[in-house]
Amino acid sequence: GEVEREVALAGVGNLIGEMSLFDKKLRSASARATTDASVVTLPYSQLENQLEELPEWVRITMRTLSEKLRQTNKKFFG
């Protein structure tokens, strides 16, 4: 089975899954609440137009950072 590893803690107002906004890849980790929590989902289809308004260099930078973070997570957490 899968081994659970804590990669990060998210608190009030924090985002999770944001890398997928920029690189359109599947999530690199799962999230589990340790206390009662409310979650708001932001469907990509509703954000796509706003993301397209960003300068191309910003989108490229965010995709690059997302990929580097995915590679680092894979290296350290499998």
Side-chain angles (χ1 to χ4, degrees):
E2 284 189 27
V3 175
E4 281 193 23
R5 293 188 178 116
E6 186 176 294
V7 177
L9 290 175
V12 175
N14 291 151
L15 291 174
I16 57 173
E18 70 281 356
M19 291 189 308
S20 294
L21 285 174
F22 296 99
D23 65 13
K24 299 180 186 175
K25 294 183 180 177
L26 296 176
R27 61 183 170 77
S28 62
S30 296
R32 181 170 51 91
T34 57
T35 63
D36 288 344
S38 295
V39 177
V40 175
T41 60
L42 302 172
Y44 180 80
S45 61
Q46 293 181 7
L47 299 172
E48 189 171 18
N49 289 339
Q50 292 176 15
L51 293 172
E52 290 300 319
E53 291 178 12
L54 294 172
E56 184 178 8
W57 71 268
V58 172
R59 294 192 311 267
I60 291 169
T61 300
M62 296 309 293
R63 279 194 304 271
T64 302
L65 290 171
S66 294
E67 183 58 34
K68 287 181 179 182
L69 183 54
R70 284 181 189 277
Q71 290 173 1
T72 300
N73 285 347
K74 188 173 183 180
K75 184 181 221 181
F76 286 102
F77 302 108

